[in-house]
Amino acid sequence: MKNIFIIIIIAAFGVMLYPLFEDFSGNDELSELASFYAQKENVEKVNSANLVTAVVVTYRGLDTLGEVTILFLAAAIIAFSLRKHSVERDLRRNSEIFKTASKVLIPIIMMVGVYIFMNGHLSPGGGFQGGAVLASAVILMLLAFPNIPFNSKLFAYTESISGLVFVGLAAIGALIGSGYLDNAILPLGTFGELLSAGAIPVIYSFVGLKVGAELSNILNEFQSVQSDN
Amino acid sequence: MELFGAIITLLGAIFLLIASIGLVRMPDVYNRLQVGTKATTLGTILSLIGLAIVIPGWSGKLILLIIFVMMTNPVSSHVLARAAYYIKLPYTSRTVVDKLKVSDKVLNVEMEKRYGLESKTLKVK
Amino acid sequence: MEYVALTVGFIVIMAGLWAIMTRKNIIRIIIGFSIFDTGLHIVMVALAYVKGRTAPILDNTVALDDAVNLIVDPVPQALVLTAIVIGLGVTALMLIFAMKLHREKKTLDIRSFKDLKW
Amino acid sequence: MSYLLIISILLGIIMLAMAGIAIYHKSQVVAIIAAGALGLFASVMYLLLSAPDVAMTEAAIGSGLSTIIFFYVLNRIRTTDEKEEQQLKK
Amino acid sequence: MVNIILSTALAIIIISIAITMIRFVKGKSSVDRVIAFDIMTIASIAMIAILAQLLGRIIYLDIALVYGLLSFLAVIIIAKYLEKSL
Amino acid sequence: MKNFSITFIVLMVVWILLNNSFRLEILIPGAIVAFVISLFACRLCNVFVDMKLTPKAFAYTFIFLGVFFIDLIKSNLDVARRVLTPSLPINPGIVEVKTTLKSKFARMLLANAITLTPGTLTVEVKDESFFIHCIDVQDDDIEGASKDIVKKFEKYLEVIYG
């Protein structure tokens, strides 16, 4: 009886969404907004090869600011609602091979993360993905060496300084350039090089550092409330 | 030359197929891990090498991928095998010898004597 | 191809809703939420696809002059990128609440949380 | 272009099977692994829909870090997990 | 010719993923399923690389790198959960 | 200092492989990033210390890689034969072998090589004994198994890492 009710609700939802499916006949050309972004003179104004990055960082940069704020709030709530308590845990020792391999892998993973967020304007990638990869290096460290003291102060400082620099760069764009989060405050450079696209690599690097530090803090909070069972 | 690279890629794909067949056929966890690790590693490496022959301009990232797969794949299978051993998953009935079980008890006692409590109990926070 | 992705996305959305409504364990409900999320993202990306075109990243295979006729729509992709990151934050918060509920009642069965029911 | 269609159909079938396992399997561990695998195959699907940015984000965040957080929580509440499953089965 | 052979390889890899699904559904213990997951992701790395060749974009290889990295971490964490030492 | 510089070089190689170019405006940011990461990770990354930097060691590295690849291909043919035979000819068991290597990195390389070569899988490492799951047990005492499995890699790793 209850299941029938649920099926009716889901079917109603499906009917509600069905026009989206029916009217869709496969796009043949870009929408107006996207073709505005893809025109040559507009691309050269931003000079970023990856148009998604251009949309995320400059055109819709305020959304990114809100997103980073939401992530920061989530991290703060998690840190607030998890009560830390020190327990003595009876962990099995890690295998020696895994320890050695993670010693070799951690710097390489960090390098890959830095590559991903520095090349956000040339390749798929950017601050959020690079930050996630940096956080995965931290989580590998926590897994392999659980008794190394985790310096959460360092991560908190990194996070707040990166956030301040991000907002400051955006405001400088409003002061010198044409608007908030304008990327033309640095010389634009030639199209398709690493040092091009004005302030986009710098902004995305700080976004990456901030996201990486936030995610590392979240994961460390989760790690620190584990207990034996 | 491009054709040669493509054939190497096909060979790698066939090794991946063998890995999945072996995964279905083998009788217990350890043998499945054996088949899984070896055949998938060689399959992936051969596919990537074949692609590097087809397009020589891409070889930088492909070499990095190969090194990465060769580094991580044996380690993850080693960790899985260790976990499977410690949660005492059963062997197949055709297993002939288990040396680890014989020396496990002795070695554990030795470890405790040698390293004291800190080897077994890690203080976290 | 975009039709296939659209259909799969719709079915995955329905499956996620079904899981949210019928499962009794809170962890299962959160898994259902995450499935729902994935399906939604697939639908949004599939709606942005343009037939036979390539990714909106300009390099030596996609010329700058002809970009309007070669790339897909970048705006929904940027939107989905934002949505995925926020989805992680929401999932983490839900899991924290599940942990706190478990600390209170030592169970995760949704039927045993009746404190607000009248 | 037909091979892309065939690949997307096969990927779609695998994804639906993963969603089914994630909802209906008895064990929570397997359900979470299946949800992670659903995300990974979804990222291949995004690649076919020529959205590499979304594919990378899904592989890194939507699938990878979510699975890790799920397992941390599951480890914390493990004590009653098995009992719970038994009760739910009845 | 090259493209035909590469699409055949792609088809074979997808079939192997589908066969691995059998073990994922059937497998007796959780470790079996984790092994199946591992094999699926490693086969997907090869699949992404071949797709990158067929679509002609080098930038897709970055995704294979991130994919392999995160699946390695997921396998490690599941193994540590199963041996109760997370 | 030695392990700092080796980490730096490894990271630079990774950066060059990722970017696929040698131009200066790519190398300079890479050098800065690699320097910071090596500073950050240098107390962790003490595994490269016992690497020897002599010409003989380099030569033996290549020989080791060659032997390893031949064994990898042999092992795969072996596995394929076993999988495709209808009667599944396996004879599994866990055996113990001893190694004399001291360096941690060399031990990891040895364990990985064992995992990837015919019919063997490292299950556990304790001090100087490796416990290895064999798909086809020939010889279950320590010396015999060691001679079969470990020796062919050990003699190269011995030269490279001491």
Side-chain angles (χ1 to χ4, degrees), chain A residues 89 91-92 94 109 124 136, chain E residues 59 69 73 80 83 85-86:
Chain A
R89 299 181 57 199
L91 289 177
R92 177 169 293 129
N94 276 320
I109 292 175
S136 72
Chain E
I59 45 178
L69 172 64
L73 260 180
K80 284 182 82 68
E83 66 172 23
S85 70
L86 188 68

Side-chain angles (χ1 to χ4, degrees), chain C residues 54-55 57 59 61-62, chain E residues 55-60:
Chain C
T54 182
I57 298 172
D59 55 3
T61 53
V62 180
Chain E
L55 298 173
R57 307 297 300 264
I58 182 172
I59 45 178
Y60 290 178

Side-chain angles (χ1 to χ4, degrees), chain A residues 172-187:
Chain A
I172 288 174
L175 287 180
I176 315 175
S178 58
Y180 198 72
L181 276 165
D182 186 51
N183 71 323
I185 53 176
L186 293 175

Side-chain angles (χ1 to χ4, degrees), chain F residues 114-131:
Chain F
I114 286 172
T115 304
L116 288 177
T117 49
T120 49
L121 169 71
T122 318
V123 175
E124 171 66 305
V125 179
K126 269 173 186 162
D127 292 344
E128 55 184 18
S129 26
F130 283 27
F131 294 88

Side-chain angles (χ1 to χ4, degrees), chain C residues 100-107 112-115:
Chain C
K100 288 185 94 70
L101 289 178
H102 180 263
R103 194 182 291 155
E104 290 296 317
K105 293 236 167 137
K106 298 293 169 208
T107 175
S112 62
F113 297 101
K114 299 179 182 162
D115 301 347

Side-chain angles (χ1 to χ4, degrees), chain C residues 45-61:
Chain C
V45 174
L47 285 177
Y49 184 72
V50 184
K51 276 197 193 74
R53 296 197 182 182
T54 182
I57 298 172
L58 314 175
D59 55 3
N60 44 21
T61 53

Side-chain angles (χ1 to χ4, degrees), chain C:
Chain C
M1 187 170 60
E2 60 268 32
Y3 287 105
V4 177
L6 210 56
T7 319
V8 169
F10 271 123
I11 300 174
V12 171
I13 288 177
M14 298 301 164
L17 265 180
W18 174 257
I20 290 175
M21 286 180 177
T22 58
R23 299 289 99 185
K24 301 293 188 297
N25 192 329
I26 293 180
I27 295 286
R28 292 304 177 98
I29 294 175
I30 301 173
I31 292 174
F33 173 79
S34 120
I35 292 172
F36 182 82
D37 228 19
T38 309
L40 218 54
H41 300 156
I42 291 175
V43 168
M44 281 165 76
V45 174
L47 285 177
Y49 184 72
V50 184
K51 276 197 193 74
R53 296 197 182 182
T54 182
I57 298 172
L58 314 175
D59 55 3
N60 44 21
T61 53
V62 180
L64 178 56
D65 305 321
D66 202 22
V68 183
N69 297 322
L70 284 176
I71 60 170
V72 302
D73 201 345
V75 183
Q77 296 189 11
L79 245 157
V80 173
L81 204 135
T82 311
I84 291 174
V85 180
I86 292 179
L88 174 76
V90 174
T91 312
L93 278 181
M94 284 158 95
L95 284 169
I96 287 291
F97 278 109
M99 245 159 101
K100 288 185 94 70
L101 289 178
H102 180 263
R103 194 182 291 155
E104 290 296 317
K105 293 236 167 137
K106 298 293 169 208
T107 175
L108 274 178
D109 196 338
I110 195 80
R111 285 168 296 190
S112 62
F113 297 101
K114 299 179 182 162
D115 301 347
L116 280 179
K117 217 173 181 180
W118 68 84

Side-chain angles (χ1 to χ4, degrees), chain D residues 69-81:
Chain D
I69 291 179
F70 264 114
F71 272 98
Y72 271 131
V73 173
L74 209 57
N75 189 41
R76 183 73 178 83
I77 60 185
R78 172 167 15 206
T79 41
T80 53
D81 182 20

